[in-house]
Amino acid sequence: MRADRVFVYGATAGLVVDLLLGDPRRGHPVAAFGRAAGAVEHALWRDHRGRGALHTALCAGGAVALGALATRAARRSRTASVALTAAATWAVVGGTTLGREARAVGGALAAGDVEVARERLPHLCGRDPHSLDEQQIARAVVESVAENTSDAVVGALVWGALAGVPGLVGFRAVNTLDAMVGHKSPRYLRFGWASARLDDLVGWPGARLTAGLAVVAGGDPRGAVRAWRADAAKHPSPNAGPVEAAFAGALGVRLGGTLSYGGRTEHRPVLGGSGRPVEFADIERAVRLSRRVGVLALAVGAGVRLAYGAARAARAERAGRRGAGKGRG
């Protein structure tokens, strides 16, 4: 079976399993990778960029190498190749769990139970929930759904389409490292620099595709494009900016503003300034938009991979005919 078809069948199966089951509650491969990366960090940590770059190379490179070895081992069997791609896709995408956690917070807000909403919010993002009111919690959830649609779904599918299983696991490894050490705390300002910059690099195509698909799948394409063009560059993250701005415009809401991380307050620019403040009902709308974007991302990745595979097969066939013609001559 051609590699392009292996990806299409495997990624589709993996995404379906994620839609049905979500993430496993125990024994998640990403959690195992996190523990291994933490052990490497413990051995290597110094307040130095070079040590951080070595940590990133060992952890992310190791994940890619394992993916490549597994792909090679499964290559002789079409069933094994598809099953490996399906398993890797299920392991690295997290759209269903993202939606469940967002809906849990939204349900608590709808019931008027702000304390439960605050307890659930850390499952989605690292903000200090105790400093947030109902509207700010709803806004934080919508922003997290938007950003994680790119990080937990679309980005992985993009790299899976480009590089198969090594691309899937490599993207997730880089994204996990950024979450672990890529933030600007005193401990990780230098050590996490390489992970943060690599995450910006590998997240770039997925973020733009996510924003573009939000334009297509959202309720206000013109508003999404307008917010993307006007506000994306204002965001401190080069990848979260386009995604959150496009979601804000598509949903007709305002995102950004003041937020707090671990006692540190940030004042971010407003995205989608012509929209209204976020309400708890917008959480469900954001989750539905996220799901549509994920399905469209799979379709785009499958289409690109099939077109590339067909083009390669056609070139090989032409080369074979030319070689046969020379042989007869």
Side-chain angles (χ1 to χ4, degrees), residues 112-130:
D113 199 334
V114 180
E115 289 306 314
V116 170
R118 287 175 176 146
E119 290 175 5
R120 300 289 309 201
L121 187 62
H123 292 268
L124 281 169
C125 62
R127 300 184 194 181
D128 179 8
H130 301 291

Side-chain angles (χ1 to χ4, degrees), residues 57-317:
L58 289 174
C59 295
V64 172
L66 284 174
L69 288 173
T71 299
R72 184 173 181 179
R75 188 170 295 167
R76 294 182 180 180
S77 168
R78 291 179 295 178
T79 301
S81 295
V82 172
L84 175 64
T85 304
T89 301
W90 180 36
V92 303
V93 301
T96 296
T97 298
L98 172 65
R100 286 176 182 170
E101 293 296 339
R103 282 170 168 151
V105 179
L109 291 176
D113 199 334
V114 180
E115 289 306 314
V116 170
R118 287 175 176 146
E119 290 175 5
R120 300 289 309 201
L121 187 62
H123 292 268
L124 281 169
C125 62
R127 300 184 194 181
D128 179 8
H130 301 291
S131 65
L132 305 179
D133 60 22
E134 293 94 325
Q135 192 276 326
Q136 291 170 326
I137 291 173
R139 191 192 78 198
V141 173
V142 172
E143 290 172 354
S144 183
V145 168
E147 184 175 1
N148 282 291
T149 299
S150 176
D151 289 345
V153 183
V154 179
L157 293 174
V158 166
W159 282 99
L162 293 173
V165 170
L168 286 166
V169 299
F171 174 83
R172 189 60 168 166
V174 172
N175 188 248
T176 302
L177 289 174
D178 179 61
M180 292 176 66
V181 304
H183 40 86
K184 296 180 179 180
S185 66
R187 176 177 174 86
Y188 295 124
L189 186 61
R190 294 183 180 85
F191 186 84
W193 179 86
S195 290
R197 298 290 76 75
L198 183 59
D199 183 68
D200 288 343
L201 179 64
V202 302
W204 195 94
R208 273 71 194 169
L209 179 59
T210 303
L213 294 178
V215 172
V216 174
D220 185 358
R222 291 184 178 179
V225 170
R226 184 166 56 249
W228 183 2
R229 294 180 61 182
D231 300 330
K234 300 175 183 177
H235 198 286
S237 168
N239 293 331
V243 174
E244 292 186 20
F247 264 67
L251 297 171
V253 299
R254 291 198 302 271
L255 301 178
T258 302
L259 50 84
S260 176
Y261 285 100
R264 176 171 50 88
T265 300
E266 293 185 16
H267 301 282
R268 292 185 178 176
V270 172
L271 309 177
S274 61
R276 56 173 173 76
V278 178
E279 302 171 353
F280 69 80
D282 295 314
I283 293 175
E284 178 63 28
R285 297 175 62 225
V287 170
R288 291 180 180 178
L289 176 57
S290 173
R291 179 162 291 191
R292 292 194 297 270
V293 167
V295 172
L296 288 174
L298 175 63
V300 170
V304 170
R305 191 68 186 261
L306 287 172
Y308 177 70
R312 286 191 64 182
R315 286 198 299 269
E317 184 178 353

